[in-house]
Amino acid sequence: MAALESCRCRGAGERTHGSILYSILKSAEEEQPQQPPSSQCSQPSLQQLLQKTPPGAPDPQHQLQVQTQTAACSCGSTRRRGVLRAPQVTCKAASAVLVKTLRFVKNVPCFRELPEHEQLTLIRSAWAPLLVLGLAQDRVDFETAETVEPSMLQRILTGSRHGGDQSQSQSRGVSAAAAAAPGVSVHDIEAIKAFLRKCWSVDISTKEYAYLKGAVLFNPDLEGLRCLHYIQSLRREAHQALNEHVRLIHRDDTTRFAKLLIALSMLRAISPPVVAQLFFRPVIGSVNIEEVLMEMFYGK
């Protein structure tokens, strides 16, 4: 990895009183949750995907009909999975949070000063945890229904009888395993819900959410970063700013900062593919979520 001196981003060697503390707070204050972004290249494309369920997407009504029936296979090798009870409603709420999250990132000056390669790397790593943070901040709750993942025997029998349907699913970019097992692991769903409950129990403030977003966005542990030292300093500042804010506002709560760090560790354990599968695949099908992200962020 290149050292800080080789980073060509502006501000890498200039640390003023603005830095991340001012930048993140300014971004949070400038957010306008009520209004969607005005870019013609971002929101409309996602809205079009959300208007109707594409051919490759699993039917939400069909998913809900596949309720838990653990006796479906005599071998008993079923695994618990879950799907959204109201996918259209929840996915639209998640997409609105995603749009707001990307707008927040765009408004952070020290992020915009990074080379585009660094920006892409950070966005691809951070979009999912930032989205879940946004769900917590906007108090977006959701309900799921449990399904049963077919056993190996069921998959073999189904594949042999319906080979044509399986080939058609694969031709649309949907793997056979995904087509046979809608939804995501109940364990993964519970991890997301546990994180949301943690945030709501701590009653995180707007400023604290902003600092947490900065700590998530500026991740120095990614491969290929050329501005590594600068990104490390930005994450360090985000943690320091959060700690100073907690000590100033919550002087009597000596465990609050530790609780926020625990929430961060819970957030980092949430898998981006799980977030994409749960909140977006029911309505956009096999469309690559990263392609949607790049179109929304850069208009590509």
mmCIF file of all heavy atoms in Angstrom, residues 120-166:
data_model
loop_
_atom_site.group_PDB
_atom_site.id
_atom_site.type_symbol
_atom_site.label_atom_id
_atom_site.label_comp_id
_atom_site.label_asym_id
_atom_site.label_seq_id
_atom_site.Cartn_x
_atom_site.Cartn_y
_atom_site.Cartn_z
ATOM 1 N N LEU A 120 -14.804 4.568 -4.798
ATOM 2 C CA LEU A 120 -15.502 3.344 -5.190
ATOM 3 C C LEU A 120 -15.250 2.223 -4.190
ATOM 4 O O LEU A 120 -16.166 1.497 -3.800
ATOM 5 C CB LEU A 120 -15.049 2.917 -6.588
ATOM 6 C CG LEU A 120 -15.467 3.819 -7.747
ATOM 7 C CD1 LEU A 120 -14.819 3.357 -9.043
ATOM 8 C CD2 LEU A 120 -16.983 3.841 -7.901
ATOM 9 N N THR A 121 -13.997 2.087 -3.762
ATOM 10 C CA THR A 121 -13.647 1.038 -2.809
ATOM 11 C C THR A 121 -14.389 1.229 -1.492
ATOM 12 O O THR A 121 -14.936 0.278 -0.918
ATOM 13 C CB THR A 121 -12.128 1.030 -2.555
ATOM 14 O OG1 THR A 121 -11.441 0.816 -3.791
ATOM 15 C CG2 THR A 121 -11.742 -0.073 -1.579
ATOM 16 N N LEU A 122 -14.425 2.464 -1.010
ATOM 17 C CA LEU A 122 -15.096 2.745 0.262
ATOM 18 C C LEU A 122 -16.602 2.549 0.153
ATOM 19 O O LEU A 122 -17.240 2.007 1.069
ATOM 20 C CB LEU A 122 -14.778 4.171 0.712
ATOM 21 C CG LEU A 122 -13.321 4.449 1.103
ATOM 22 C CD1 LEU A 122 -13.141 5.917 1.478
ATOM 23 C CD2 LEU A 122 -12.867 3.545 2.247
ATOM 24 N N ILE A 123 -17.199 2.981 -0.965
ATOM 25 C CA ILE A 123 -18.650 2.845 -1.130
ATOM 26 C C ILE A 123 -19.051 1.376 -1.183
ATOM 27 O O ILE A 123 -20.030 0.951 -0.553
ATOM 28 C CB ILE A 123 -19.126 3.574 -2.394
ATOM 29 C CG1 ILE A 123 -19.009 5.084 -2.211
ATOM 30 C CG2 ILE A 123 -20.580 3.220 -2.708
ATOM 31 C CD1 ILE A 123 -19.334 5.869 -3.459
ATOM 32 N N ARG A 124 -18.297 0.589 -1.964
ATOM 33 C CA ARG A 124 -18.629 -0.828 -2.082
ATOM 34 C C ARG A 124 -18.538 -1.542 -0.734
ATOM 35 O O ARG A 124 -19.285 -2.481 -0.471
ATOM 36 C CB ARG A 124 -17.683 -1.495 -3.090
ATOM 37 C CG ARG A 124 -17.960 -1.097 -4.540
ATOM 38 C CD ARG A 124 -17.212 -2.004 -5.512
ATOM 39 N NE ARG A 124 -17.563 -1.704 -6.883
ATOM 40 C CZ ARG A 124 -16.791 -1.096 -7.751
ATOM 41 N NH1 ARG A 124 -15.560 -0.719 -7.393
ATOM 42 N NH2 ARG A 124 -17.181 -0.864 -8.991
ATOM 43 N N SER A 125 -17.634 -1.095 0.101
ATOM 44 C CA SER A 125 -17.483 -1.707 1.418
ATOM 45 C C SER A 125 -18.525 -1.213 2.412
ATOM 46 O O SER A 125 -18.978 -1.980 3.271
ATOM 47 C CB SER A 125 -16.079 -1.420 1.961
ATOM 48 O OG SER A 125 -15.975 -1.754 3.326
ATOM 49 N N ALA A 126 -18.916 0.053 2.292
ATOM 50 C CA ALA A 126 -19.696 0.690 3.369
ATOM 51 C C ALA A 126 -21.186 0.814 3.102
ATOM 52 O O ALA A 126 -21.936 1.111 4.035
ATOM 53 C CB ALA A 126 -19.125 2.084 3.656
ATOM 54 N N TRP A 127 -21.643 0.601 1.863
ATOM 55 C CA TRP A 127 -23.041 0.916 1.567
ATOM 56 C C TRP A 127 -24.015 0.124 2.443
ATOM 57 O O TRP A 127 -25.014 0.676 2.929
ATOM 58 C CB TRP A 127 -23.345 0.672 0.089
ATOM 59 C CG TRP A 127 -23.500 -0.772 -0.298
ATOM 60 C CD1 TRP A 127 -22.540 -1.604 -0.788
ATOM 61 C CD2 TRP A 127 -24.699 -1.555 -0.207
ATOM 62 N NE1 TRP A 127 -23.056 -2.861 -1.013
ATOM 63 C CE2 TRP A 127 -24.383 -2.862 -0.666
ATOM 64 C CE3 TRP A 127 -26.005 -1.288 0.204
ATOM 65 C CZ2 TRP A 127 -25.318 -3.885 -0.722
ATOM 66 C CZ3 TRP A 127 -26.944 -2.318 0.156
ATOM 67 C CH2 TRP A 127 -26.604 -3.604 -0.310
ATOM 68 N N ALA A 128 -23.721 -1.163 2.661
ATOM 69 C CA ALA A 128 -24.653 -1.991 3.437
ATOM 70 C C ALA A 128 -24.705 -1.601 4.917
ATOM 71 O O ALA A 128 -25.788 -1.380 5.464
ATOM 72 C CB ALA A 128 -24.318 -3.472 3.270
ATOM 73 N N PRO A 129 -23.554 -1.495 5.619
ATOM 74 C CA PRO A 129 -23.630 -1.058 7.019
ATOM 75 C C PRO A 129 -24.183 0.360 7.163
ATOM 76 O O PRO A 129 -24.896 0.645 8.130
ATOM 77 C CB PRO A 129 -22.179 -1.141 7.508
ATOM 78 C CG PRO A 129 -21.333 -1.236 6.291
ATOM 79 C CD PRO A 129 -22.176 -1.897 5.247
ATOM 80 N N LEU A 130 -23.883 1.243 6.198
ATOM 81 C CA LEU A 130 -24.457 2.591 6.259
ATOM 82 C C LEU A 130 -25.970 2.541 6.085
ATOM 83 O O LEU A 130 -26.705 3.296 6.726
ATOM 84 C CB LEU A 130 -23.832 3.481 5.182
ATOM 85 C CG LEU A 130 -22.395 3.940 5.418
ATOM 86 C CD1 LEU A 130 -21.886 4.737 4.213
ATOM 87 C CD2 LEU A 130 -22.280 4.775 6.688
ATOM 88 N N LEU A 131 -26.437 1.650 5.211
ATOM 89 C CA LEU A 131 -27.879 1.495 5.022
ATOM 90 C C LEU A 131 -28.548 1.024 6.303
ATOM 91 O O LEU A 131 -29.585 1.564 6.719
ATOM 92 C CB LEU A 131 -28.153 0.511 3.888
ATOM 93 C CG LEU A 131 -29.622 0.102 3.713
ATOM 94 C CD1 LEU A 131 -30.461 1.289 3.252
ATOM 95 C CD2 LEU A 131 -29.768 -1.052 2.728
ATOM 96 N N VAL A 132 -27.960 0.018 6.950
ATOM 97 C CA VAL A 132 -28.555 -0.503 8.191
ATOM 98 C C VAL A 132 -28.520 0.565 9.283
ATOM 99 O O VAL A 132 -29.465 0.691 10.074
ATOM 100 C CB VAL A 132 -27.827 -1.782 8.634
ATOM 101 C CG1 VAL A 132 -28.414 -2.303 9.940
ATOM 102 C CG2 VAL A 132 -27.928 -2.862 7.558
ATOM 103 N N LEU A 133 -27.445 1.356 9.321
ATOM 104 C CA LEU A 133 -27.395 2.488 10.255
ATOM 105 C C LEU A 133 -28.526 3.467 9.962
ATOM 106 O O LEU A 133 -29.160 4.000 10.878
ATOM 107 C CB LEU A 133 -26.050 3.209 10.129
ATOM 108 C CG LEU A 133 -25.012 3.024 11.236
ATOM 109 C CD1 LEU A 133 -23.771 3.837 10.931
ATOM 110 C CD2 LEU A 133 -25.579 3.394 12.607
ATOM 111 N N GLY A 134 -28.765 3.711 8.670
ATOM 112 C CA GLY A 134 -29.849 4.610 8.284
ATOM 113 C C GLY A 134 -31.212 4.060 8.663
ATOM 114 O O GLY A 134 -32.106 4.814 9.072
ATOM 115 N N LEU A 135 -31.387 2.742 8.549
ATOM 116 C CA LEU A 135 -32.644 2.124 8.975
ATOM 117 C C LEU A 135 -32.859 2.347 10.468
ATOM 118 O O LEU A 135 -33.983 2.614 10.918
ATOM 119 C CB LEU A 135 -32.625 0.625 8.668
ATOM 120 C CG LEU A 135 -32.599 0.199 7.198
ATOM 121 C CD1 LEU A 135 -32.486 -1.320 7.092
ATOM 122 C CD2 LEU A 135 -33.830 0.692 6.453
ATOM 123 N N ALA A 136 -31.778 2.227 11.237
ATOM 124 C CA ALA A 136 -31.882 2.457 12.681
ATOM 125 C C ALA A 136 -32.218 3.916 12.965
ATOM 126 O O ALA A 136 -33.093 4.213 13.795
ATOM 127 C CB ALA A 136 -30.571 2.072 13.361
ATOM 128 N N GLN A 137 -31.543 4.831 12.261
ATOM 129 C CA GLN A 137 -31.766 6.253 12.510
ATOM 130 C C GLN A 137 -33.189 6.665 12.159
ATOM 131 O O GLN A 137 -33.812 7.450 12.876
ATOM 132 C CB GLN A 137 -30.779 7.089 11.701
ATOM 133 C CG GLN A 137 -30.881 8.583 11.978
ATOM 134 C CD GLN A 137 -29.785 9.375 11.293
ATOM 135 O OE1 GLN A 137 -28.990 8.829 10.516
ATOM 136 N NE2 GLN A 137 -29.717 10.657 11.567
ATOM 137 N N ASP A 138 -33.726 6.129 11.063
ATOM 138 C CA ASP A 138 -35.089 6.458 10.645
ATOM 139 C C ASP A 138 -36.134 5.550 11.283
ATOM 140 O O ASP A 138 -37.309 5.632 10.960
ATOM 141 C CB ASP A 138 -35.207 6.369 9.122
ATOM 142 C CG ASP A 138 -34.486 7.505 8.423
ATOM 143 O OD1 ASP A 138 -33.932 8.380 9.122
ATOM 144 O OD2 ASP A 138 -34.469 7.525 7.177
ATOM 145 N N ARG A 139 -35.683 4.665 12.164
ATOM 146 C CA ARG A 139 -36.567 3.732 12.884
ATOM 147 C C ARG A 139 -37.450 2.942 11.913
ATOM 148 O O ARG A 139 -38.671 2.850 12.091
ATOM 149 C CB ARG A 139 -37.408 4.473 13.917
ATOM 150 C CG ARG A 139 -36.576 5.010 15.071
ATOM 151 C CD ARG A 139 -37.405 5.525 16.229
ATOM 152 N NE ARG A 139 -36.552 5.837 17.376
ATOM 153 C CZ ARG A 139 -36.247 4.987 18.350
ATOM 154 N NH1 ARG A 139 -36.742 3.759 18.311
ATOM 155 N NH2 ARG A 139 -35.468 5.339 19.347
ATOM 156 N N VAL A 140 -36.817 2.392 10.905
ATOM 157 C CA VAL A 140 -37.511 1.532 9.946
ATOM 158 C C VAL A 140 -37.495 0.104 10.474
ATOM 159 O O VAL A 140 -36.442 -0.533 10.511
ATOM 160 C CB VAL A 140 -36.841 1.590 8.558
ATOM 161 C CG1 VAL A 140 -37.526 0.617 7.596
ATOM 162 C CG2 VAL A 140 -36.881 3.011 8.004
ATOM 163 N N ASP A 141 -38.639 -0.366 10.895
ATOM 164 C CA ASP A 141 -38.750 -1.736 11.385
ATOM 165 C C ASP A 141 -39.346 -2.598 10.284
ATOM 166 O O ASP A 141 -39.919 -2.091 9.316
ATOM 167 C CB ASP A 141 -39.615 -1.788 12.639
ATOM 168 C CG ASP A 141 -39.316 -3.014 13.501
ATOM 169 O OD1 ASP A 141 -38.513 -3.855 13.056
ATOM 170 O OD2 ASP A 141 -39.899 -3.129 14.593
ATOM 171 N N PHE A 142 -39.232 -3.889 10.404
ATOM 172 C CA PHE A 142 -39.769 -4.788 9.384
ATOM 173 C C PHE A 142 -40.100 -6.129 10.020
ATOM 174 O O PHE A 142 -39.541 -6.505 11.035
ATOM 175 C CB PHE A 142 -38.762 -4.987 8.239
ATOM 176 C CG PHE A 142 -37.457 -5.586 8.659
ATOM 177 C CD1 PHE A 142 -37.244 -6.959 8.602
ATOM 178 C CD2 PHE A 142 -36.416 -4.780 9.128
ATOM 179 C CE1 PHE A 142 -36.040 -7.519 8.989
ATOM 180 C CE2 PHE A 142 -35.202 -5.330 9.513
ATOM 181 C CZ PHE A 142 -35.010 -6.701 9.444
ATOM 182 N N GLU A 143 -41.049 -6.818 9.398
ATOM 183 C CA GLU A 143 -41.437 -8.139 9.862
ATOM 184 C C GLU A 143 -41.084 -9.165 8.793
ATOM 185 O O GLU A 143 -41.122 -8.872 7.595
ATOM 186 C CB GLU A 143 -42.941 -8.202 10.164
ATOM 187 C CG GLU A 143 -43.365 -7.318 11.331
ATOM 188 C CD GLU A 143 -44.843 -7.467 11.635
ATOM 189 O OE1 GLU A 143 -45.512 -8.274 10.940
ATOM 190 O OE2 GLU A 143 -45.325 -6.801 12.562
ATOM 191 N N THR A 144 -40.764 -10.358 9.238
ATOM 192 C CA THR A 144 -40.423 -11.426 8.309
ATOM 193 C C THR A 144 -41.283 -12.656 8.577
ATOM 194 O O THR A 144 -41.841 -12.817 9.663
ATOM 195 C CB THR A 144 -38.939 -11.821 8.433
ATOM 196 O OG1 THR A 144 -38.664 -12.236 9.778
ATOM 197 C CG2 THR A 144 -38.038 -10.655 8.064
ATOM 198 N N ALA A 145 -41.389 -13.496 7.563
ATOM 199 C CA ALA A 145 -42.060 -14.786 7.702
ATOM 200 C C ALA A 145 -41.041 -15.866 7.428
ATOM 201 O O ALA A 145 -40.177 -15.722 6.557
ATOM 202 C CB ALA A 145 -43.223 -14.888 6.720
ATOM 203 N N GLU A 146 -41.142 -16.946 8.155
ATOM 204 C CA GLU A 146 -40.154 -18.006 8.026
ATOM 205 C C GLU A 146 -40.502 -18.948 6.887
ATOM 206 O O GLU A 146 -41.669 -19.267 6.638
ATOM 207 C CB GLU A 146 -40.047 -18.781 9.338
ATOM 208 C CG GLU A 146 -38.724 -19.494 9.523
ATOM 209 C CD GLU A 146 -38.556 -20.018 10.934
ATOM 210 O OE1 GLU A 146 -38.742 -19.236 11.888
ATOM 211 O OE2 GLU A 146 -38.239 -21.218 11.067
ATOM 212 N N THR A 147 -39.478 -19.377 6.156
ATOM 213 C CA THR A 147 -39.636 -20.364 5.091
ATOM 214 C C THR A 147 -38.730 -21.538 5.408
ATOM 215 O O THR A 147 -38.012 -21.536 6.408
ATOM 216 C CB THR A 147 -39.241 -19.779 3.722
ATOM 217 O OG1 THR A 147 -37.830 -19.530 3.707
ATOM 218 C CG2 THR A 147 -39.985 -18.474 3.457
ATOM 219 N N VAL A 148 -38.735 -22.528 4.545
ATOM 220 C CA VAL A 148 -37.879 -23.691 4.731
ATOM 221 C C VAL A 148 -36.997 -23.849 3.509
ATOM 222 O O VAL A 148 -37.472 -23.871 2.387
ATOM 223 C CB VAL A 148 -38.708 -24.977 4.944
ATOM 224 C CG1 VAL A 148 -37.791 -26.196 4.982
ATOM 225 C CG2 VAL A 148 -39.514 -24.877 6.221
ATOM 226 N N GLU A 149 -35.697 -23.951 3.748
ATOM 227 C CA GLU A 149 -34.780 -24.205 2.644
ATOM 228 C C GLU A 149 -34.876 -25.679 2.269
ATOM 229 O O GLU A 149 -34.776 -26.548 3.136
ATOM 230 C CB GLU A 149 -33.345 -23.873 3.052
ATOM 231 C CG GLU A 149 -32.342 -24.118 1.939
ATOM 232 C CD GLU A 149 -30.930 -23.749 2.353
ATOM 233 O OE1 GLU A 149 -30.772 -23.228 3.473
ATOM 234 O OE2 GLU A 149 -30.004 -23.994 1.560
ATOM 235 N N PRO A 150 -35.088 -25.987 0.993
ATOM 236 C CA PRO A 150 -35.212 -27.394 0.579
ATOM 237 C C PRO A 150 -33.963 -28.199 0.936
ATOM 238 O O PRO A 150 -32.848 -27.684 0.886
ATOM 239 C CB PRO A 150 -35.384 -27.305 -0.939
ATOM 240 C CG PRO A 150 -35.887 -25.916 -1.190
ATOM 241 C CD PRO A 150 -35.254 -25.071 -0.133
ATOM 242 N N SER A 151 -34.169 -29.439 1.292
ATOM 243 C CA SER A 151 -33.043 -30.314 1.600
ATOM 244 C C SER A 151 -32.306 -30.685 0.322
ATOM 245 O O SER A 151 -32.763 -30.430 -0.786
ATOM 246 C CB SER A 151 -33.541 -31.581 2.288
ATOM 247 O OG SER A 151 -34.324 -32.336 1.370
ATOM 248 N N MET A 152 -31.156 -31.342 0.477
ATOM 249 C CA MET A 152 -30.380 -31.769 -0.690
ATOM 250 C C MET A 152 -31.187 -32.732 -1.547
ATOM 251 O O MET A 152 -31.179 -32.662 -2.777
ATOM 252 C CB MET A 152 -29.078 -32.423 -0.228
ATOM 253 C CG MET A 152 -28.167 -32.834 -1.378
ATOM 254 S SD MET A 152 -27.642 -31.416 -2.374
ATOM 255 C CE MET A 152 -26.567 -30.602 -1.174
ATOM 256 N N LEU A 153 -31.933 -33.644 -0.904
ATOM 257 C CA LEU A 153 -32.746 -34.599 -1.653
ATOM 258 C C LEU A 153 -33.828 -33.875 -2.447
ATOM 259 O O LEU A 153 -34.070 -34.199 -3.621
ATOM 260 C CB LEU A 153 -33.372 -35.614 -0.689
ATOM 261 C CG LEU A 153 -34.333 -36.639 -1.327
ATOM 262 C CD1 LEU A 153 -33.588 -37.461 -2.377
ATOM 263 C CD2 LEU A 153 -34.931 -37.539 -0.254
ATOM 264 N N GLN A 154 -34.465 -32.880 -1.816
ATOM 265 C CA GLN A 154 -35.500 -32.121 -2.508
ATOM 266 C C GLN A 154 -34.930 -31.377 -3.708
ATOM 267 O O GLN A 154 -35.557 -31.293 -4.758
ATOM 268 C CB GLN A 154 -36.163 -31.129 -1.539
ATOM 269 C CG GLN A 154 -37.075 -31.803 -0.522
ATOM 270 C CD GLN A 154 -37.587 -30.813 0.504
ATOM 271 O OE1 GLN A 154 -36.838 -30.009 1.043
ATOM 272 N NE2 GLN A 154 -38.876 -30.880 0.779
ATOM 273 N N ARG A 155 -33.703 -30.823 -3.543
ATOM 274 C CA ARG A 155 -33.081 -30.099 -4.649
ATOM 275 C C ARG A 155 -32.788 -31.032 -5.813
ATOM 276 O O ARG A 155 -32.993 -30.692 -6.971
ATOM 277 C CB ARG A 155 -31.788 -29.434 -4.181
ATOM 278 C CG ARG A 155 -32.001 -28.282 -3.233
ATOM 279 C CD ARG A 155 -30.669 -27.672 -2.835
ATOM 280 N NE ARG A 155 -30.835 -26.623 -1.851
ATOM 281 C CZ ARG A 155 -29.848 -25.936 -1.306
ATOM 282 N NH1 ARG A 155 -28.595 -26.222 -1.658
ATOM 283 N NH2 ARG A 155 -30.067 -24.995 -0.425
ATOM 284 N N ILE A 156 -32.285 -32.246 -5.479
ATOM 285 C CA ILE A 156 -31.965 -33.202 -6.535
ATOM 286 C C ILE A 156 -33.229 -33.620 -7.279
ATOM 287 O O ILE A 156 -33.272 -33.638 -8.515
ATOM 288 C CB ILE A 156 -31.261 -34.440 -5.933
ATOM 289 C CG1 ILE A 156 -29.883 -34.038 -5.384
ATOM 290 C CG2 ILE A 156 -31.125 -35.548 -6.971
ATOM 291 C CD1 ILE A 156 -29.181 -35.157 -4.636
ATOM 292 N N LEU A 157 -34.283 -33.933 -6.513
ATOM 293 C CA LEU A 157 -35.527 -34.351 -7.153
ATOM 294 C C LEU A 157 -36.150 -33.230 -7.964
ATOM 295 O O LEU A 157 -36.630 -33.430 -9.074
ATOM 296 C CB LEU A 157 -36.521 -34.843 -6.085
ATOM 297 C CG LEU A 157 -36.122 -36.127 -5.349
ATOM 298 C CD1 LEU A 157 -37.119 -36.443 -4.250
ATOM 299 C CD2 LEU A 157 -36.017 -37.293 -6.332
ATOM 300 N N THR A 158 -36.127 -32.016 -7.402
ATOM 301 C CA THR A 158 -36.692 -30.869 -8.107
ATOM 302 C C THR A 158 -35.889 -30.552 -9.358
ATOM 303 O O THR A 158 -36.438 -30.258 -10.421
ATOM 304 C CB THR A 158 -36.715 -29.629 -7.192
ATOM 305 O OG1 THR A 158 -37.464 -29.941 -6.017
ATOM 306 C CG2 THR A 158 -37.361 -28.455 -7.908
ATOM 307 N N GLY A 159 -34.578 -30.650 -9.252
ATOM 308 C CA GLY A 159 -33.733 -30.343 -10.408
ATOM 309 C C GLY A 159 -33.931 -31.340 -11.522
ATOM 310 O O GLY A 159 -33.943 -30.995 -12.708
ATOM 311 N N SER A 160 -34.123 -32.629 -11.163
ATOM 312 C CA SER A 160 -34.286 -33.637 -12.203
ATOM 313 C C SER A 160 -35.628 -33.530 -12.888
ATOM 314 O O SER A 160 -35.775 -33.841 -14.057
ATOM 315 C CB SER A 160 -34.125 -35.039 -11.593
ATOM 316 O OG SER A 160 -35.123 -35.273 -10.612
ATOM 317 N N ARG A 161 -36.661 -33.051 -12.155
ATOM 318 C CA ARG A 161 -37.989 -32.963 -12.739
ATOM 319 C C ARG A 161 -38.204 -31.653 -13.473
ATOM 320 O O ARG A 161 -39.015 -31.563 -14.374
ATOM 321 C CB ARG A 161 -39.053 -33.095 -11.639
ATOM 322 C CG ARG A 161 -39.086 -34.477 -11.013
ATOM 323 C CD ARG A 161 -40.155 -34.535 -9.947
ATOM 324 N NE ARG A 161 -40.201 -35.842 -9.312
ATOM 325 C CZ ARG A 161 -41.032 -36.159 -8.328
ATOM 326 N NH1 ARG A 161 -41.886 -35.242 -7.859
ATOM 327 N NH2 ARG A 161 -41.017 -37.359 -7.806
ATOM 328 N N HIS A 162 -37.504 -30.610 -13.041
ATOM 329 C CA HIS A 162 -37.750 -29.284 -13.602
ATOM 330 C C HIS A 162 -36.451 -28.673 -14.088
ATOM 331 O O HIS A 162 -36.125 -27.540 -13.772
ATOM 332 C CB HIS A 162 -38.398 -28.369 -12.550
ATOM 333 C CG HIS A 162 -39.655 -28.936 -11.973
ATOM 334 N ND1 HIS A 162 -40.813 -29.039 -12.671
ATOM 335 C CD2 HIS A 162 -39.894 -29.458 -10.733
ATOM 336 C CE1 HIS A 162 -41.765 -29.593 -11.905
ATOM 337 N NE2 HIS A 162 -41.219 -29.848 -10.733
ATOM 338 N N GLY A 163 -35.689 -29.465 -14.834
ATOM 339 C CA GLY A 163 -34.414 -28.978 -15.337
ATOM 340 C C GLY A 163 -34.557 -27.749 -16.189
ATOM 341 O O GLY A 163 -33.731 -26.843 -16.173
ATOM 342 N N GLY A 164 -35.661 -27.681 -16.974
ATOM 343 C CA GLY A 164 -35.865 -26.526 -17.842
ATOM 344 C C GLY A 164 -36.038 -25.254 -17.054
ATOM 345 O O GLY A 164 -35.474 -24.202 -17.389
ATOM 346 N N ASP A 165 -36.834 -25.304 -15.968
ATOM 347 C CA ASP A 165 -37.048 -24.122 -15.133
ATOM 348 C C ASP A 165 -35.753 -23.683 -14.483
ATOM 349 O O ASP A 165 -35.479 -22.495 -14.355
ATOM 350 C CB ASP A 165 -38.100 -24.430 -14.048
ATOM 351 C CG ASP A 165 -39.464 -24.698 -14.654
ATOM 352 O OD1 ASP A 165 -39.672 -24.281 -15.818
ATOM 353 O OD2 ASP A 165 -40.291 -25.331 -13.981
ATOM 354 N N GLN A 166 -34.926 -24.675 -14.066
ATOM 355 C CA GLN A 166 -33.658 -24.334 -13.420
ATOM 356 C C GLN A 166 -32.730 -23.649 -14.409
ATOM 357 O O GLN A 166 -32.073 -22.660 -14.082
ATOM 358 C CB GLN A 166 -33.015 -25.610 -12.880
ATOM 359 C CG GLN A 166 -31.742 -25.364 -12.085
ATOM 360 C CD GLN A 166 -31.252 -26.637 -11.424
ATOM 361 O OE1 GLN A 166 -32.013 -27.576 -11.221
ATOM 362 N NE2 GLN A 166 -29.984 -26.674 -11.093
#
